[in-house]
Amino acid sequence: FDEACLDDPLCESLSSSYSTPSPLCEDFLSLLGPERPPYKWLLVGAARAGTALHVDPLQTSAWNTLVSGSKRWVLFPPEVEAHQVFRTESA
């Protein structure tokens, strides 16, 4: 994770490789000013890298772009409760 890299002039070519999708251009979190949570990250992974099932730790909504490779998502409808998805120690 690097939340500052994409603002660095050295990463300009990478930053220009993508743009915010038009339906997502209105940025309500910008209204928070300096209280805004981090919102741009650069993640780099090896082939077949991934994460365990998780909920965003900052409880934010996000969009992702892939510069190279592919990503597989698993999405659950809102009515599915966490205990139905996440394993507990007793399970």
Side-chain angles (χ1 to χ4, degrees):
F1 276 100
D2 188 337
E3 63 188 61
C5 176
L6 295 174
D7 292 326
D8 189 309
L10 294 173
C11 290
E12 186 175 340
S13 64
L14 182 59
S15 293
S16 65
S17 297
Y18 67 93
S19 60
T20 304
S22 58
L24 305 174
C25 282
E26 196 163 3
D27 182 6
F28 294 116
L29 287 176
S30 67
L31 299 172
L32 296 174
E35 299 299 315
R36 177 191 193 132
Y39 69 102
K40 288 198 266 184
W41 297 282
L42 172 64
L43 290 90
V44 178
R48 305 201 48 82
T51 65
L53 186 63
H54 65 278
V55 175
D56 180 75
L58 297 175
Q59 301 298 310
T60 60
S61 296
W63 63 271
N64 288 251
T65 189
L66 241 51
V67 177
S68 176
S70 61
K71 184 173 183 83
R72 185 179 306 168
W73 290 87
V74 177
L75 303 175
F76 296 94
E79 63 271 10
V80 175
E81 296 181 22
H83 74 274
Q84 294 172 298
V85 176
F86 294 102
R87 292 187 71 165
T88 62
E89 293 300 318
S90 62

mmCIF file of all heavy atoms in Angstrom, residues 28-66:
data_model
loop_
_atom_site.group_PDB
_atom_site.id
_atom_site.type_symbol
_atom_site.label_atom_id
_atom_site.label_comp_id
_atom_site.label_asym_id
_atom_site.label_seq_id
_atom_site.Cartn_x
_atom_site.Cartn_y
_atom_site.Cartn_z
ATOM 1 N N PHE A 28 -17.818 13.439 -3.019
ATOM 2 C CA PHE A 28 -18.381 14.009 -1.797
ATOM 3 C C PHE A 28 -17.387 14.005 -0.639
ATOM 4 O O PHE A 28 -17.450 14.843 0.248
ATOM 5 C CB PHE A 28 -19.660 13.258 -1.393
ATOM 6 C CG PHE A 28 -20.780 13.449 -2.370
ATOM 7 C CD1 PHE A 28 -21.282 12.380 -3.086
ATOM 8 C CD2 PHE A 28 -21.334 14.695 -2.587
ATOM 9 C CE1 PHE A 28 -22.311 12.546 -3.998
ATOM 10 C CE2 PHE A 28 -22.358 14.882 -3.502
ATOM 11 C CZ PHE A 28 -22.843 13.806 -4.207
ATOM 12 N N LEU A 29 -16.458 13.047 -0.623
ATOM 13 C CA LEU A 29 -15.477 13.009 0.459
ATOM 14 C C LEU A 29 -14.540 14.206 0.436
ATOM 15 O O LEU A 29 -13.939 14.543 1.448
ATOM 16 C CB LEU A 29 -14.684 11.710 0.425
ATOM 17 C CG LEU A 29 -15.440 10.475 0.886
ATOM 18 C CD1 LEU A 29 -14.576 9.226 0.719
ATOM 19 C CD2 LEU A 29 -15.900 10.599 2.319
ATOM 20 N N SER A 30 -14.416 14.879 -0.702
ATOM 21 C CA SER A 30 -13.561 16.071 -0.756
ATOM 22 C C SER A 30 -14.106 17.170 0.153
ATOM 23 O O SER A 30 -13.360 18.060 0.578
ATOM 24 C CB SER A 30 -13.436 16.585 -2.188
ATOM 25 O OG SER A 30 -14.673 17.072 -2.656
ATOM 26 N N LEU A 31 -15.385 17.109 0.498
ATOM 27 C CA LEU A 31 -15.978 18.094 1.401
ATOM 28 C C LEU A 31 -15.399 18.002 2.813
ATOM 29 O O LEU A 31 -15.510 18.938 3.598
ATOM 30 C CB LEU A 31 -17.501 17.914 1.466
ATOM 31 C CG LEU A 31 -18.241 18.104 0.143
ATOM 32 C CD1 LEU A 31 -19.705 17.715 0.299
ATOM 33 C CD2 LEU A 31 -18.105 19.527 -0.352
ATOM 34 N N LEU A 32 -14.769 16.883 3.140
ATOM 35 C CA LEU A 32 -14.181 16.710 4.465
ATOM 36 C C LEU A 32 -12.868 17.458 4.643
ATOM 37 O O LEU A 32 -12.369 17.581 5.763
ATOM 38 C CB LEU A 32 -13.959 15.226 4.755
ATOM 39 C CG LEU A 32 -15.225 14.377 4.823
ATOM 40 C CD1 LEU A 32 -14.857 12.908 4.965
ATOM 41 C CD2 LEU A 32 -16.105 14.833 5.961
ATOM 42 N N GLY A 33 -12.291 17.937 3.547
ATOM 43 C CA GLY A 33 -11.027 18.669 3.628
ATOM 44 C C GLY A 33 -9.939 17.822 4.267
ATOM 45 O O GLY A 33 -9.758 16.659 3.913
ATOM 46 N N PRO A 34 -9.221 18.394 5.259
ATOM 47 C CA PRO A 34 -8.111 17.657 5.868
ATOM 48 C C PRO A 34 -8.549 16.432 6.682
ATOM 49 O O PRO A 34 -7.732 15.586 7.028
ATOM 50 C CB PRO A 34 -7.418 18.686 6.761
ATOM 51 C CG PRO A 34 -8.381 19.802 6.922
ATOM 52 C CD PRO A 34 -9.331 19.755 5.766
ATOM 53 N N GLU A 35 -9.825 16.315 6.976
ATOM 54 C CA GLU A 35 -10.340 15.156 7.720
ATOM 55 C C GLU A 35 -10.636 13.972 6.802
ATOM 56 O O GLU A 35 -11.030 12.909 7.269
ATOM 57 C CB GLU A 35 -11.619 15.539 8.480
ATOM 58 C CG GLU A 35 -11.405 16.638 9.506
ATOM 59 C CD GLU A 35 -10.418 16.232 10.588
ATOM 60 O OE1 GLU A 35 -10.529 15.103 11.095
ATOM 61 O OE2 GLU A 35 -9.525 17.033 10.886
ATOM 62 N N ARG A 36 -10.451 14.173 5.514
ATOM 63 C CA ARG A 36 -10.732 13.119 4.547
ATOM 64 C C ARG A 36 -9.832 11.909 4.806
ATOM 65 O O ARG A 36 -8.631 12.049 4.985
ATOM 66 C CB ARG A 36 -10.459 13.652 3.147
ATOM 67 C CG ARG A 36 -10.652 12.626 2.083
ATOM 68 C CD ARG A 36 -10.121 13.129 0.750
ATOM 69 N NE ARG A 36 -10.617 12.223 -0.259
ATOM 70 C CZ ARG A 36 -11.190 12.594 -1.366
ATOM 71 N NH1 ARG A 36 -11.298 13.852 -1.664
ATOM 72 N NH2 ARG A 36 -11.634 11.696 -2.207
ATOM 73 N N PRO A 37 -10.397 10.703 4.786
ATOM 74 C CA PRO A 37 -9.543 9.512 4.929
ATOM 75 C C PRO A 37 -8.695 9.333 3.670
ATOM 76 O O PRO A 37 -9.025 9.868 2.608
ATOM 77 C CB PRO A 37 -10.545 8.373 5.092
ATOM 78 C CG PRO A 37 -11.813 8.875 4.501
ATOM 79 C CD PRO A 37 -11.811 10.361 4.663
ATOM 80 N N PRO A 38 -7.603 8.590 3.764
ATOM 81 C CA PRO A 38 -6.810 8.319 2.557
ATOM 82 C C PRO A 38 -7.716 7.724 1.477
ATOM 83 O O PRO A 38 -8.610 6.931 1.773
ATOM 84 C CB PRO A 38 -5.786 7.282 3.029
ATOM 85 C CG PRO A 38 -5.741 7.421 4.500
ATOM 86 C CD PRO A 38 -7.093 7.889 4.930
ATOM 87 N N TYR A 39 -7.482 8.128 0.234
ATOM 88 C CA TYR A 39 -8.398 7.663 -0.805
ATOM 89 C C TYR A 39 -7.724 7.192 -2.096
ATOM 90 O O TYR A 39 -8.392 6.679 -2.979
ATOM 91 C CB TYR A 39 -9.426 8.740 -1.135
ATOM 92 C CG TYR A 39 -8.856 9.953 -1.829
ATOM 93 C CD1 TYR A 39 -9.014 10.131 -3.193
ATOM 94 C CD2 TYR A 39 -8.146 10.904 -1.118
ATOM 95 C CE1 TYR A 39 -8.491 11.236 -3.825
ATOM 96 C CE2 TYR A 39 -7.626 12.014 -1.742
ATOM 97 C CZ TYR A 39 -7.803 12.177 -3.096
ATOM 98 O OH TYR A 39 -7.286 13.274 -3.711
ATOM 99 N N LYS A 40 -6.431 7.380 -2.229
ATOM 100 C CA LYS A 40 -5.730 6.867 -3.408
ATOM 101 C C LYS A 40 -4.593 5.985 -2.933
ATOM 102 O O LYS A 40 -3.799 6.383 -2.096
ATOM 103 C CB LYS A 40 -5.130 8.009 -4.234
ATOM 104 C CG LYS A 40 -6.129 8.834 -4.978
ATOM 105 C CD LYS A 40 -5.447 9.624 -6.072
ATOM 106 C CE LYS A 40 -5.084 10.999 -5.622
ATOM 107 N NZ LYS A 40 -4.498 11.832 -6.679
ATOM 108 N N TRP A 41 -4.557 4.783 -3.456
ATOM 109 C CA TRP A 41 -3.492 3.857 -3.087
ATOM 110 C C TRP A 41 -2.945 3.205 -4.338
ATOM 111 O O TRP A 41 -3.662 2.985 -5.308
ATOM 112 C CB TRP A 41 -3.997 2.749 -2.164
ATOM 113 C CG TRP A 41 -4.515 3.213 -0.860
ATOM 114 C CD1 TRP A 41 -3.773 3.584 0.236
ATOM 115 C CD2 TRP A 41 -5.868 3.365 -0.479
ATOM 116 N NE1 TRP A 41 -4.601 3.944 1.265
ATOM 117 C CE2 TRP A 41 -5.899 3.824 0.855
ATOM 118 C CE3 TRP A 41 -7.075 3.169 -1.118
ATOM 119 C CZ2 TRP A 41 -7.062 4.071 1.546
ATOM 120 C CZ3 TRP A 41 -8.234 3.423 -0.437
ATOM 121 C CH2 TRP A 41 -8.215 3.870 0.879
ATOM 122 N N LEU A 42 -1.712 2.837 -4.251
ATOM 123 C CA LEU A 42 -1.095 2.018 -5.283
ATOM 124 C C LEU A 42 -0.825 0.667 -4.650
ATOM 125 O O LEU A 42 -0.155 0.581 -3.626
ATOM 126 C CB LEU A 42 0.220 2.650 -5.761
ATOM 127 C CG LEU A 42 1.043 1.778 -6.713
ATOM 128 C CD1 LEU A 42 0.279 1.547 -8.021
ATOM 129 C CD2 LEU A 42 2.394 2.424 -6.975
ATOM 130 N N LEU A 43 -1.384 -0.363 -5.236
ATOM 131 C CA LEU A 43 -1.143 -1.718 -4.753
ATOM 132 C C LEU A 43 -0.501 -2.500 -5.877
ATOM 133 O O LEU A 43 -0.976 -2.475 -7.010
ATOM 134 C CB LEU A 43 -2.453 -2.405 -4.352
ATOM 135 C CG LEU A 43 -3.102 -1.842 -3.107
ATOM 136 C CD1 LEU A 43 -4.048 -0.729 -3.448
ATOM 137 C CD2 LEU A 43 -3.812 -2.928 -2.363
ATOM 138 N N VAL A 44 0.570 -3.193 -5.565
ATOM 139 C CA VAL A 44 1.282 -3.995 -6.540
ATOM 140 C C VAL A 44 1.363 -5.408 -5.996
ATOM 141 O O VAL A 44 1.690 -5.603 -4.828
ATOM 142 C CB VAL A 44 2.706 -3.438 -6.775
ATOM 143 C CG1 VAL A 44 3.467 -4.300 -7.761
ATOM 144 C CG2 VAL A 44 2.643 -1.989 -7.238
ATOM 145 N N GLY A 45 1.013 -6.361 -6.812
ATOM 146 C CA GLY A 45 1.051 -7.749 -6.354
ATOM 147 C C GLY A 45 1.646 -8.668 -7.400
ATOM 148 O O GLY A 45 1.623 -8.380 -8.595
ATOM 149 N N ALA A 46 2.160 -9.752 -6.934
ATOM 150 C CA ALA A 46 2.707 -10.780 -7.827
ATOM 151 C C ALA A 46 1.559 -11.572 -8.452
ATOM 152 O O ALA A 46 0.407 -11.456 -8.038
ATOM 153 C CB ALA A 46 3.607 -11.710 -7.019
ATOM 154 N N ALA A 47 1.890 -12.388 -9.404
ATOM 155 C CA ALA A 47 0.888 -13.253 -10.028
ATOM 156 C C ALA A 47 0.175 -14.072 -8.957
ATOM 157 O O ALA A 47 0.789 -14.565 -8.018
ATOM 158 C CB ALA A 47 1.561 -14.182 -11.037
ATOM 159 N N ARG A 48 -1.134 -14.162 -9.066
ATOM 160 C CA ARG A 48 -2.009 -14.929 -8.171
ATOM 161 C C ARG A 48 -2.039 -14.378 -6.744
ATOM 162 O O ARG A 48 -2.448 -15.059 -5.820
ATOM 163 C CB ARG A 48 -1.653 -16.416 -8.196
ATOM 164 C CG ARG A 48 -1.682 -16.989 -9.613
ATOM 165 C CD ARG A 48 -1.828 -18.460 -9.735
ATOM 166 N NE ARG A 48 -2.859 -19.079 -8.950
ATOM 167 C CZ ARG A 48 -4.164 -19.151 -9.275
ATOM 168 N NH1 ARG A 48 -4.589 -18.578 -10.366
ATOM 169 N NH2 ARG A 48 -5.000 -19.778 -8.503
ATOM 170 N N ALA A 49 -1.608 -13.133 -6.550
ATOM 171 C CA ALA A 49 -1.691 -12.506 -5.231
ATOM 172 C C ALA A 49 -3.162 -12.198 -4.927
ATOM 173 O O ALA A 49 -3.978 -12.056 -5.828
ATOM 174 C CB ALA A 49 -0.863 -11.224 -5.200
ATOM 175 N N GLY A 50 -3.493 -12.078 -3.671
ATOM 176 C CA GLY A 50 -4.863 -11.769 -3.303
ATOM 177 C C GLY A 50 -4.986 -11.470 -1.828
ATOM 178 O O GLY A 50 -3.994 -11.413 -1.105
ATOM 179 N N THR A 51 -6.201 -11.265 -1.391
ATOM 180 C CA THR A 51 -6.468 -11.012 0.019
ATOM 181 C C THR A 51 -7.567 -11.955 0.484
ATOM 182 O O THR A 51 -8.322 -12.497 -0.326
ATOM 183 C CB THR A 51 -6.954 -9.566 0.268
ATOM 184 O OG1 THR A 51 -8.227 -9.388 -0.367
ATOM 185 C CG2 THR A 51 -5.984 -8.547 -0.259
ATOM 186 N N ALA A 52 -7.658 -12.094 1.771
ATOM 187 C CA ALA A 52 -8.769 -12.843 2.351
ATOM 188 C C ALA A 52 -10.035 -11.990 2.245
ATOM 189 O O ALA A 52 -9.974 -10.775 2.040
ATOM 190 C CB ALA A 52 -8.470 -13.160 3.811
ATOM 191 N N LEU A 53 -11.163 -12.628 2.376
ATOM 192 C CA LEU A 53 -12.430 -11.917 2.382
ATOM 193 C C LEU A 53 -12.394 -10.853 3.472
ATOM 194 O O LEU A 53 -11.989 -11.127 4.606
ATOM 195 C CB LEU A 53 -13.564 -12.917 2.644
ATOM 196 C CG LEU A 53 -14.973 -12.383 2.544
ATOM 197 C CD1 LEU A 53 -15.275 -11.905 1.136
ATOM 198 C CD2 LEU A 53 -15.952 -13.479 2.939
ATOM 199 N N HIS A 54 -12.759 -9.624 3.137
ATOM 200 C CA HIS A 54 -12.668 -8.544 4.119
ATOM 201 C C HIS A 54 -13.668 -7.438 3.802
ATOM 202 O O HIS A 54 -14.222 -7.378 2.716
ATOM 203 C CB HIS A 54 -11.251 -7.963 4.143
ATOM 204 C CG HIS A 54 -10.866 -7.282 2.867
ATOM 205 N ND1 HIS A 54 -10.412 -7.980 1.767
ATOM 206 C CD2 HIS A 54 -10.879 -5.989 2.514
ATOM 207 C CE1 HIS A 54 -10.167 -7.131 0.789
ATOM 208 N NE2 HIS A 54 -10.449 -5.909 1.211
ATOM 209 N N VAL A 55 -13.855 -6.571 4.771
ATOM 210 C CA VAL A 55 -14.620 -5.340 4.622
ATOM 211 C C VAL A 55 -13.604 -4.219 4.687
ATOM 212 O O VAL A 55 -12.658 -4.279 5.473
ATOM 213 C CB VAL A 55 -15.665 -5.199 5.758
ATOM 214 C CG1 VAL A 55 -16.365 -3.861 5.680
ATOM 215 C CG2 VAL A 55 -16.663 -6.338 5.695
ATOM 216 N N ASP A 56 -13.776 -3.200 3.878
ATOM 217 C CA ASP A 56 -12.835 -2.084 3.863
ATOM 218 C C ASP A 56 -12.607 -1.568 5.281
ATOM 219 O O ASP A 56 -13.558 -1.244 5.980
ATOM 220 C CB ASP A 56 -13.400 -0.964 2.985
ATOM 221 C CG ASP A 56 -12.478 0.220 2.928
ATOM 222 O OD1 ASP A 56 -11.453 0.153 2.245
ATOM 223 O OD2 ASP A 56 -12.787 1.212 3.605
ATOM 224 N N PRO A 57 -11.346 -1.499 5.728
ATOM 225 C CA PRO A 57 -11.070 -1.116 7.112
ATOM 226 C C PRO A 57 -11.465 0.313 7.454
ATOM 227 O O PRO A 57 -11.718 0.621 8.611
ATOM 228 C CB PRO A 57 -9.556 -1.309 7.262
ATOM 229 C CG PRO A 57 -9.030 -1.351 5.885
ATOM 230 C CD PRO A 57 -10.131 -1.837 4.996
ATOM 231 N N LEU A 58 -11.551 1.206 6.446
ATOM 232 C CA LEU A 58 -11.964 2.590 6.715
ATOM 233 C C LEU A 58 -13.457 2.787 6.475
ATOM 234 O O LEU A 58 -13.964 3.892 6.553
ATOM 235 C CB LEU A 58 -11.155 3.561 5.854
ATOM 236 C CG LEU A 58 -9.651 3.564 6.122
ATOM 237 C CD1 LEU A 58 -8.935 4.477 5.136
ATOM 238 C CD2 LEU A 58 -9.361 3.988 7.551
ATOM 239 N N GLN A 59 -14.162 1.698 6.139
ATOM 240 C CA GLN A 59 -15.603 1.742 5.869
ATOM 241 C C GLN A 59 -15.950 2.729 4.758
ATOM 242 O O GLN A 59 -16.974 3.401 4.795
ATOM 243 C CB GLN A 59 -16.380 2.097 7.151
ATOM 244 C CG GLN A 59 -16.175 1.125 8.289
ATOM 245 C CD GLN A 59 -16.657 -0.281 7.958
ATOM 246 O OE1 GLN A 59 -17.775 -0.473 7.496
ATOM 247 N NE2 GLN A 59 -15.809 -1.258 8.181
ATOM 248 N N THR A 60 -15.084 2.837 3.763
ATOM 249 C CA THR A 60 -15.334 3.754 2.663
ATOM 250 C C THR A 60 -15.898 2.997 1.469
ATOM 251 O O THR A 60 -15.835 1.779 1.391
ATOM 252 C CB THR A 60 -14.031 4.453 2.209
ATOM 253 O OG1 THR A 60 -13.106 3.458 1.778
ATOM 254 C CG2 THR A 60 -13.431 5.266 3.322
ATOM 255 N N SER A 61 -16.451 3.753 0.553
ATOM 256 C CA SER A 61 -16.842 3.208 -0.733
ATOM 257 C C SER A 61 -15.689 3.489 -1.677
ATOM 258 O O SER A 61 -15.026 4.515 -1.557
ATOM 259 C CB SER A 61 -18.105 3.892 -1.236
ATOM 260 O OG SER A 61 -19.170 3.617 -0.365
ATOM 261 N N ALA A 62 -15.444 2.622 -2.608
ATOM 262 C CA ALA A 62 -14.284 2.814 -3.464
ATOM 263 C C ALA A 62 -14.536 2.264 -4.856
ATOM 264 O O ALA A 62 -15.410 1.437 -5.063
ATOM 265 C CB ALA A 62 -13.070 2.105 -2.850
ATOM 266 N N TRP A 63 -13.749 2.738 -5.782
ATOM 267 C CA TRP A 63 -13.675 2.121 -7.098
ATOM 268 C C TRP A 63 -12.224 1.745 -7.317
ATOM 269 O O TRP A 63 -11.323 2.311 -6.714
ATOM 270 C CB TRP A 63 -14.228 3.032 -8.185
ATOM 271 C CG TRP A 63 -13.502 4.313 -8.402
ATOM 272 C CD1 TRP A 63 -13.729 5.498 -7.770
ATOM 273 C CD2 TRP A 63 -12.419 4.544 -9.316
ATOM 274 N NE1 TRP A 63 -12.861 6.437 -8.229
ATOM 275 C CE2 TRP A 63 -12.037 5.892 -9.190
ATOM 276 C CE3 TRP A 63 -11.738 3.745 -10.226
ATOM 277 C CZ2 TRP A 63 -11.018 6.459 -9.933
ATOM 278 C CZ3 TRP A 63 -10.718 4.313 -10.973
ATOM 279 C CH2 TRP A 63 -10.377 5.648 -10.822
ATOM 280 N N ASN A 64 -12.024 0.740 -8.142
ATOM 281 C CA ASN A 64 -10.684 0.228 -8.405
ATOM 282 C C ASN A 64 -10.430 0.247 -9.903
ATOM 283 O O ASN A 64 -11.350 0.073 -10.693
ATOM 284 C CB ASN A 64 -10.560 -1.226 -7.938
ATOM 285 C CG ASN A 64 -10.536 -1.346 -6.449
ATOM 286 O OD1 ASN A 64 -9.502 -1.652 -5.882
ATOM 287 N ND2 ASN A 64 -11.656 -1.128 -5.785
ATOM 288 N N THR A 65 -9.191 0.443 -10.248
ATOM 289 C CA THR A 65 -8.797 0.293 -11.646
ATOM 290 C C THR A 65 -7.592 -0.623 -11.695
ATOM 291 O O THR A 65 -6.784 -0.647 -10.772
ATOM 292 C CB THR A 65 -8.487 1.651 -12.310
ATOM 293 O OG1 THR A 65 -8.318 1.467 -13.705
ATOM 294 C CG2 THR A 65 -7.249 2.288 -11.725
ATOM 295 N N LEU A 66 -7.515 -1.399 -12.740
ATOM 296 C CA LEU A 66 -6.382 -2.291 -12.945
ATOM 297 C C LEU A 66 -5.591 -1.772 -14.130
ATOM 298 O O LEU A 66 -6.141 -1.538 -15.197
ATOM 299 C CB LEU A 66 -6.890 -3.697 -13.277
ATOM 300 C CG LEU A 66 -6.521 -4.830 -12.361
ATOM 301 C CD1 LEU A 66 -6.820 -4.524 -10.933
ATOM 302 C CD2 LEU A 66 -7.140 -6.101 -12.811
#
